[in-house]
């Protein structure tokens, strides 16, 4: 008998589409860069400034964007930010110089900065607790797939229509997603016309926006619990940004590959992360269901992922063989991506009522890594004259990440501040 797709799974599919589209929207400029640089008469330095402009508002908006998602709700928040990133993506095709290009990229960072923390809030309301890791694995696999397929997709659009038109087309696709989300999603799963009583029974108690607004965010306690996760996310993000920004150049420079072959090798390596993202969440949830030990389920995957990436990056220091390096870097990226779903699931475990804010705090580590890693990596190459030195730094940070992971305990859910008994909602056990 064919299993019917639940409403929750359809919402998860919509979020997968969002992660896929947003990653193409944020990296499409890398493929269009040579054409933009030529048409707009930009120097390499100016193009670098444009490329990095996205990361700053994206990093600084994580916490505030997650807080907005908690207070306003995922439906309205993702609709608004979806409109922002759609418009700014399309406007990138209309830029006339460095100033307008920087403004467009800053706008894209502002639009996408709140997207993932708010999506995490939606997942915390629409999925059972024992599927948090699975859900995060699936959506982030979609983002990695978007990152891997962006170069050939954007290249085809540029060849067929032009670099400006490639941004217009992606802007239209983003707008279509925004309208579908606005039409289909409900903040309260109970209000969805297709929701069944059986599916609703397995979901966490719904916290309404009015109730959420009355829940004070325990900033000090939340920061204390999330800070180690933020640091591990920084260690993870440092190496991930190396893959996203320097991998083609590493293969091109160290192994004398042409642009086409370096892109193909890069895509093959990055695709291994799609598998790692999904498996990390699935395995972590499976451990939790079998043992009931959330600390074991989350910690073990982080330790395995960071350690595996540490081990398989070591050959970059000693081996100069394209095949071996491609295999070892693929395995390193696979293990690294085992961590991603778990890192996003932990804020949902620790603070489900503040999932947007908590995940925003966590992902600030990734955002800061995005600002520093590409610049420091390039600086170390320029100073040292070889690729081994910056890879050593990535390997060291992965080792430090393993040690910090031992301080994370997601099994202890953050408790809300004490409230008078007459201010407690008997259904949700929170203030009214």
């Amino acid at each position: 008998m064919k299993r019917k797709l639940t409403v929750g799974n359809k919402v998860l599919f919509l979020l997968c589409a969002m992660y896929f589209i947003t990653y193409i929207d944020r990296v499409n400029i890398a493929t269009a860069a040579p054409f933009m640089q030529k048409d707009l008469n930009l120097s390499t330095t100016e193009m670098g400034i444009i490329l990095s402009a996205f990361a700053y508002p994206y990093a600084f908006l994580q916490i505030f964007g997650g807080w907005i998602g908690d207070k306003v709700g995922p439906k309205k928040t993702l609709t608004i930010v979806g409109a922002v990133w759609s418009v700014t993506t399309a406007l990138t095709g209309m830029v006339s110089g460095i100033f307008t290009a920087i403004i467009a990229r800053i706008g894209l960072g502002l639009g996408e900065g709140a997207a993932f923390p708010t999506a995490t809030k939606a997942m915390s309301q629409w999925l059972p607790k024992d599927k948090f890791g699975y859900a995060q694995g699936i959506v982030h696999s979609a983002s990695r797939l978007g990152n891997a397929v962006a170069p050939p997709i954007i290249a085809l659009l540029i060849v067929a229509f032009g670099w400006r038109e490639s941004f217009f087309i992606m802007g239209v696709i983003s707008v279509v997603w925004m309208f579908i989300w606005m039409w289909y999603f409900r903040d309260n799963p109970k209000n969805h016309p297709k929701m069944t009583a059986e599916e609703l029974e397995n979901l966490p108690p719904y916290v309404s926006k009015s109730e959420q607004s009355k829940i004070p965010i325990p900033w000090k306690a939340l920061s204390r619990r999330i800070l180690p996760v933020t640091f591990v996310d920084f260690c993870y993000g440092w190496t991930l940004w190396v893959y996203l920004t320097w991998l083609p150049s590493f293969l091109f420079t160290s192994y004398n590959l042409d642009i086409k072959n370096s892109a193909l090798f890069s895509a093959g390596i990055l695709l291994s992360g799609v598998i790692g993202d999904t498996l990390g969440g699935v395995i972590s949830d499976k451990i939790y269901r079998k043992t009931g030990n959330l600390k074991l389920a989350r910690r073990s995957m982080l330790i395995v992922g960071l350690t595996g990436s540490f081990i398989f990056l070591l050959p970059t220091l000693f081996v100069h063989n394209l095949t071996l390096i491609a295999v070892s870097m693929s395995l390193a990226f696979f293990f690294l991506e085992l961590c991603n779903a778990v890192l996003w699931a932990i804020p949902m475990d620790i603070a489900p009522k503040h999932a947007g804010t908590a995940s925003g705090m966590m992902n600030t580590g990734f955002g800061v890594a995005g600002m520093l890693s590409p610049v420091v990596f390039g600086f170390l190459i320029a100073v040292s004259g070889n690729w081994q030195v910056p890879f050593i730094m990535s390997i060291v940070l992965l080792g430090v990440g393993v040690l910090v992971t031992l301080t994370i305990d997601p099994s202890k859910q953050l408790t809300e501040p004490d409230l008078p008994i007459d201010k407690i909602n008997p259904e949700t056990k929170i203030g009214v």
Side-chain angles (χ1 to χ4, degrees), residues 92-165:
T92 308
M94 301 174 65
V95 298
S96 57
I98 182 172
F99 178 75
T100 51
I102 289 174
I103 294 300
R105 290 295 289 178
I106 288 175
L108 184 67
L110 289 172
E112 292 197 7
F116 288 8
T118 302
T120 297
K121 175 66 175 181
M123 285 182 261
S124 72
Q125 295 176 335
W126 272 85
L127 295 167
K129 185 179 178 64
D130 64 355
K131 288 189 176 180
F132 284 174
Y134 161 78
Q136 292 288 0
I138 290 293
V139 295
H140 284 283
S141 290
S143 72
R144 295 297 173 264
L145 183 61
N147 182 73
V149 304
I153 288 176
I154 300 302
L156 285 173
L157 292 176
I158 291 173
V159 170
F161 306 105
W163 71 266
R164 292 184 183 276
E165 287 77 7

Side-chain angles (χ1 to χ4, degrees), residues 1-286:
M1 185 176 177
K2 195 172 182 180
R3 190 175 180 182
K4 188 177 179 181
L5 195 64
T6 65
V7 184
N9 284 333
K10 291 177 182 177
V11 168
L12 188 58
F13 176 79
L14 266 180
L15 291 174
C16 285
M18 184 200 79
Y19 278 62
F20 179 80
I21 293 167
T22 52
Y23 250 79
I24 293 180
D25 284 349
R26 74 176 64 172
V27 302
N28 55 6
I29 196 170
T31 304
F35 304 93
M36 292 180 65
Q37 193 171 341
K38 181 180 178 181
D39 283 3
L40 303 178
N41 195 28
L42 299 169
S43 68
T44 303
T45 301
E46 288 173 329
M47 196 67 230
I49 294 171
I50 293 169
L51 290 170
S52 65
F54 168 88
Y56 293 89
Y58 179 83
F60 290 118
L61 198 62
Q62 290 298 303
I63 297 175
F64 179 71
W67 177 80
I68 290 292
D70 279 337
K71 297 298 182 182
V72 177
K75 181 183 178 74
K76 185 179 291 186
T77 304
L78 286 181
T79 298
I80 294 171
V81 300
V84 173
W85 89 64
S86 301
V87 170
T88 51
T89 296
L91 288 177
T92 308
M94 301 174 65
V95 298
S96 57
I98 182 172
F99 178 75
T100 51
I102 289 174
I103 294 300
R105 290 295 289 178
I106 288 175
L108 184 67
L110 289 172
E112 292 197 7
F116 288 8
T118 302
T120 297
K121 175 66 175 181
M123 285 182 261
S124 72
Q125 295 176 335
W126 272 85
L127 295 167
K129 185 179 178 64
D130 64 355
K131 288 189 176 180
F132 284 174
Y134 161 78
Q136 292 288 0
I138 290 293
V139 295
H140 284 283
S141 290
S143 72
R144 295 297 173 264
L145 183 61
N147 182 73
V149 304
I153 288 176
I154 300 302
L156 285 173
L157 292 176
I158 291 173
V159 170
F161 306 105
W163 71 266
R164 292 184 183 276
E165 287 77 7
S166 70
F167 288 101
F168 298 153
I169 292 168
M170 287 309 304
V172 170
I173 291 172
S174 295
V175 168
V176 170
W177 179 88
M178 180 203 72
F179 278 111
I180 293 174
W181 175 261
M182 185 170 58
W183 163 72
Y184 189 79
F185 185 77
R186 305 289 188 278
D187 284 326
N188 188 347
K190 186 178 180 180
N191 294 336
H192 198 283
K194 300 292 185 181
M195 177 58 68
T196 64
E198 181 183 3
E199 185 179 356
L200 192 63
E201 187 180 354
N202 294 319
L203 300 182
Y206 173 70
V207 182
S208 71
K209 283 177 282 187
S210 61
E211 291 173 327
Q212 184 78 52
S213 65
K214 296 173 184 175
I215 306 174
I217 296 177
W219 289 104
K220 186 176 179 180
L222 185 60
S223 299
R224 187 169 58 249
R225 295 292 307 281
I226 296 296
L227 187 59
V229 193
T230 303
F231 186 82
V232 174
D233 190 51
F234 173 84
C235 296
Y236 154 84
W238 184 281
T239 302
L240 176 62
W241 279 107
V242 170
Y243 276 90
L244 298 182
T245 55
W246 284 106
L247 181 58
S249 297
F250 167 65
L251 296 171
F252 179 82
T253 304
S254 297
Y255 295 94
N256 299 316
L257 296 178
D258 58 28
I259 294 296
K260 179 181 176 182
N261 284 317
S262 65
L264 288 173
F265 270 94
S266 298
I269 292 171
L270 291 172
L271 282 172
S272 65
V274 177
I275 303 169
D277 259 311
T278 303
L279 282 181
V282 169
I283 294 173
S284 180
D285 282 351
K286 189 170 184 179

